[in-house]
Amino acid sequence: MLKVSNLSVARGGVSLLQDVTFEVQAGQALVLRGPNGIGKTSLLRCISGLQTPTSGEISAPESVAYAAHADGLKGQLSVLENLKFWADIYGGRGPEAALLAYDLEDLAQRPTANLSAGQKRRLGLARMLVTGCALWVMDEPTVSLDVQNVTKFRTVLQAHLQAGGGAVLTTHIDLELSVESLDLTGYIATAQSPSSAFEEALE
């Protein structure tokens, strides 16, 4: 489902990680580990097609669902309208199952701008369900969630994997699932100086 080969990434022209290599099979989740600032978010953005790596190769599905620190929501739209918007973008499924999975039915008509941080996070995660994408890429998906809603996320992720989906994510909590993990500290760039690609862009 996903193959990353000898990937090097940078942020702001500074090399962060080099030669990162791993695979994610259908039905598998991989948790990326490492201290803040190591380059986990930059790596996820490269996998999602939002950032270009400085070197290496990524083999991934054409459509990937990405959940970043921001929830990817439009505040002026209702909860239901946000889910329909993303379903239309991806040509995915209807919002009913997503509303149910994250206990959002009673909030369906509420403007998203009026939601709490935890409610917005639940809606942002529900968005993954309506995309229909097999590969989920998630950056700290449980931030702002209480224990009860972390359990909901765990249940949804487990069902996604059991249905043949895959996931790559960062998290500082124990998901209490059978998942693989990769410590990125072994891939820190040896020379954290401006990358050649960045320097060329300035010439």
Side-chain angles (χ1 to χ4, degrees):
M1 179 171 292
L2 171 66
K3 184 175 182 180
V4 173
S5 303
N6 301 314
L7 203 73
S8 297
V9 301
R11 181 177 62 241
V14 177
S15 298
L16 298 175
L17 299 170
Q18 63 182 23
D19 299 327
V20 180
T21 299
F22 63 83
E23 293 186 24
V24 175
Q25 306 294 335
Q28 181 185 14
L30 177 69
V31 177
L32 303 177
R33 306 286 189 188
N36 292 338
I38 195 174
K40 298 187 296 294
T41 295
S42 296
L43 177 55
L44 293 181
R45 286 177 53 83
C46 288
I47 294 170
S48 302
L50 299 175
Q51 180 176 326
T52 302
T54 55
S55 63
E57 296 182 355
I58 300 171
S59 177
E62 183 176 352
S63 293
V64 175
Y66 178 51
H69 289 156
D71 293 312
L73 305 173
K74 293 183 177 294
Q76 70 272 27
L77 298 182
S78 70
V79 167
L80 182 60
E81 288 169 336
N82 265 285
L83 291 178
K84 287 182 176 178
F85 170 83
W86 284 107
D88 290 343
I89 290 291
Y90 280 90
R93 63 195 71 174
E96 293 79 12
L99 289 170
L100 179 63
Y102 285 101
D103 195 21
L104 293 167
E105 303 101 313
D106 291 343
L107 300 173
Q109 303 305 324
R110 183 176 298 183
T112 299
N114 295 340
L115 299 178
S116 70
Q119 290 168 338
K120 288 178 181 176
R121 175 58 58 164
R122 283 155 55 198
L123 178 55
L125 293 173
R127 179 175 57 89
M128 308 292 280
L129 282 167
V130 302
T131 65
C133 293
L135 180 62
W136 292 357
V137 179
M138 297 173 286
D139 200 354
E140 296 291 344
T142 60
V143 169
S144 300
L145 295 184
D146 57 25
V147 173
Q148 182 180 9
N149 286 299
V150 168
T151 299
K152 287 186 175 67
F153 168 72
R154 183 186 303 120
T155 299
V156 170
L157 177 59
Q158 187 170 35
H160 176 66
L161 299 177
Q162 290 174 343
V168 183
L169 65 152
T170 64
T171 181
H172 292 289
I173 70 168
D174 182 2
L175 291 175
E176 300 178 12
L177 293 174
S178 179
V179 298
E180 301 292 328
S181 64
L182 177 65
D183 187 350
L184 293 175
T185 56
Y187 297 96
I188 296 175
T190 52
Q192 295 202 343
S193 58
S195 67
S196 58
F198 182 75
E199 291 176 329
E200 290 172 4
L202 295 179
E203 292 179 355

